[in-house]
Amino acid sequence: KSVKKGFDFTLMVAGESGLGKSTLVNSLFLTDLYKDRKLLNAEERITQTVEITKHTVDIEEKGVKLKLTIVDTPGFGDAVNNTECWKSVADYIDQQFEQYFRDESGLNRKNIQDNRVHCCLYFISPFGHGLRPLDVEFMKALHEKVNIVPILAKADTLTPSEVKKKKIKAKEIEQYGIKIYQFPDCDSDEDEDFKQQDTELKESIPFAVIGSNTVVEAKGKRVRGRLYPWGIVEVENSAHCDFVKLRNMLVRTHMQDLKDVTRETHYENYRAHCIQSMTRMVVKERNRNKLTRESGTDFPIPVVPGVADSETEKLIKEKDEEVRHADHEPDSHQQHDHEHKSEHNFDHHEHSDTQPNLETPFDYKGDEAL
């Protein structure tokens, strides 16, 4: 059924401009998602705020359909003051959770569209020494909302030894208390080749990637890569970069696990937080009503069918008044009123021929006693 219906997957790419995010996305899915994009100059980028843009593309591989949504964050990290520039990204992720929560709590829950962000590729600059403060703050703000997969961008600008050093430096992520996406452990009954691939995948974090949309000729065969004066970098050559590992991880081996972690961990945390907040509000409202309400009942009184709300409230108030008068008046006053009423009833019924005088014997004895 799943194969026939197809799969949905939402991938977010984040990082400062110029790190090859768009090129990598186009390389991963062999599409041109950014053909209408207009690149801004330095002056125009000063006033630019962080935007959220969505591109949807349908991919089919071996008869299996994939509806892929790419969420881009142009303007991230480009401003002079980048204070809390990740807030709009965090808000977007929360909005998708909120929308799903509303749909899930609604009446029609059969065809809910899942726009939750399943994975965020965060691009780390190859220039400079390790992580920047912005990288740390971004990941700290989002690591409990989305599966973060760190990417070492433009790996062809680094020598193999520099790539190793950068990867070791990026392992500092865990020291800051940031939880990036953890690959699940292999089952014990898996074959040795698969276990080896899984180990290599875990050791490759962060993935050192190169993107290219052009086809070049190398050693008599045409490959996707980049042509330099000193040689050719092949994008799909695992000796040159981790591009193939990243693509296999996203599309083939770990897509379902990324979706499961999003559903079972990140979304459940959001959902639990929502329900707790709603419960607190209900309890607070109930306690407030308990203090202000004059009657002792702790349950909302159901509306009588066929009676308007205002009339119902009027009736309730009248009943409350009667109960309060009955509780607060002394016994002597009650007795006096009762006797006074009895006399009045007796006099009234004495002159009435139409109504039966049911209370006369009792009231009459009362008068005799007086």
Side-chain angles (χ1 to χ4, degrees):
K1 277 184 183 177
S2 295
V3 169
K4 195 181 278 185
K5 189 182 170 187
F7 296 91
D8 291 335
F9 190 70
T10 303
L11 178 70
M12 177 181 271
V13 286
E16 68 178 58
S17 61
L19 291 181
K21 301 188 296 295
S22 314
T23 308
L24 183 74
V25 167
N26 287 338
S27 305
L28 282 169
F29 305 107
L30 295 174
T31 55
D32 189 7
L33 291 177
Y34 301 90
K35 53 181 176 288
D36 300 325
R37 190 177 59 159
K38 182 184 171 238
L39 292 173
L40 303 176
N41 60 33
E43 270 191 2
E44 288 170 326
R45 287 213 306 271
I46 290 171
T47 54
Q48 187 191 23
T49 53
V50 181
E51 295 175 53
I52 304 290
T53 59
K54 277 172 73 173
H55 304 274
T56 306
V57 63
D58 291 316
I59 296 169
E60 191 168 332
E61 189 175 328
K62 293 177 184 173
V64 180
K65 288 178 183 175
L66 170 66
K67 186 189 173 190
L68 180 75
T69 305
I70 304 292
V71 180
D72 203 351
T73 57
F76 175 80
D78 288 353
V80 176
N81 180 6
N82 287 311
T83 308
E84 292 197 344
C85 64
W86 53 85
K87 197 170 187 312
S88 56
V89 182
D91 288 345
Y92 176 82
I93 293 168
D94 283 340
Q95 281 164 18
Q96 304 316 306
F97 281 158
E98 185 188 344
Q99 187 59 49
Y100 193 86
F101 182 66
R102 283 176 189 278
D103 293 344
E104 199 181 47
S105 309
L107 293 172
N108 184 14
R109 298 185 295 170
K110 281 185 181 175
N111 300 314
I112 298 175
Q113 197 171 359
D114 185 6
N115 289 321
R116 295 172 294 184
V117 180
H118 301 119
C119 178
C120 174
L121 300 181
Y122 185 72
F123 284 67
I124 298 166
S125 173
F127 319 114
H129 302 285
L131 298 171
R132 297 166 304 157
L134 180 62
D135 302 333
V136 174
E137 288 302 314
F138 176 90
M139 287 191 267
K140 268 188 183 176
L142 271 80
H143 71 121
E144 290 183 343
K145 297 176 187 287
V146 67
N147 297 312
I148 295 175
V149 176
I151 302 288
L152 185 58
K154 295 197 169 181
D156 51 338
T157 61
L158 303 168
T159 63
S161 60
E162 283 174 336
V163 168
K164 278 184 184 175
K165 282 179 188 174
K166 291 276 180 189
K167 286 194 175 192
I168 292 164
K169 273 277 186 186
K171 302 284 183 191
E172 293 173 1
I173 292 169
E174 293 172 9
Q175 293 174 16
Y176 296 109
I178 296 164
K179 299 170 195 159
I180 58 169
Y181 172 64
Q182 296 294 314
F183 293 102
D185 294 327
C186 277
D187 294 330
S188 54
D189 58 347
E190 292 284 1
D191 58 6
E192 289 303 316
D193 288 344
F194 188 82
K195 285 183 181 176
Q196 181 64 30
Q197 282 177 14
D198 190 65
T199 308
E200 285 175 11
L201 201 63
K202 287 175 182 173
E203 288 172 353
S204 298
I205 295 285
F207 293 107
V209 295
I210 302 161
S212 172
N213 300 323
T214 55
V215 176
V216 293
E217 199 165 315
K219 297 174 186 173
K221 60 177 183 177
R222 290 168 67 77
V223 293
R224 275 198 303 145
R226 303 178 81 89
L227 184 62
Y228 290 107
W230 53 86
I232 292 169
V233 175
E234 294 175 37
V235 168
E236 291 172 323
N237 186 337
S238 55
H240 291 189
C241 68
D242 300 325
F243 176 85
V244 175
K245 289 176 188 170
L246 175 65
R247 188 179 61 192
N248 287 344
M249 186 275 288
L250 281 177
V251 182
R252 293 188 183 139
T253 57
H254 288 75
M255 180 183 280
Q256 193 55 48
D257 187 65
L258 285 161
K259 292 178 79 168
D260 290 344
V261 173
T262 300
R263 187 185 72 246
E264 293 165 13
T265 306
H266 301 303
Y267 174 67
E268 278 303 313
N269 288 343
Y270 175 85
R271 188 171 165 276
H273 179 71
C274 276
I275 292 169
Q276 280 174 354
S277 302
M278 286 159 66
T279 310
R280 279 196 208 103
M281 281 169 66
V282 169
V283 169
K284 203 180 281 182
E285 187 68 22
R286 187 180 286 176
N287 290 340
R288 194 162 63 82
N289 289 345
K290 205 172 177 182
L291 291 170
T292 54
R293 204 187 300 139
E294 290 172 348
S295 64
T297 178
D298 195 23
F299 302 102
I301 297 163
V303 176
V304 180
V307 181
D309 289 349
S310 57
E311 288 180 29
T312 309
E313 286 176 17
K314 195 175 171 186
L315 283 168
I316 292 164
K317 279 182 183 175
E318 283 175 10
K319 288 289 175 193
D320 285 351
E321 287 289 326
E322 284 176 24
V323 171
R324 201 163 73 247
H325 279 303
D327 288 347
H328 289 294
E329 285 178 358
D331 293 340
S332 59
H333 282 288
Q334 283 180 4
Q335 190 178 348
H336 179 70
D337 286 349
H338 177 69
E339 287 167 359
H340 182 68
K341 278 180 188 172
S342 300
E343 285 174 13
H344 179 71
N345 287 340
F346 177 68
D347 292 342
H348 176 70
H349 291 304
E350 215 171 38
H351 297 92
S352 173
D353 295 331
T354 54
Q355 291 181 348
N357 192 1
L358 297 174
E359 291 182 357
T360 304
F362 176 75
D363 288 339
Y364 186 69
K365 281 178 186 174
D367 285 346
E368 274 186 344
L370 285 168

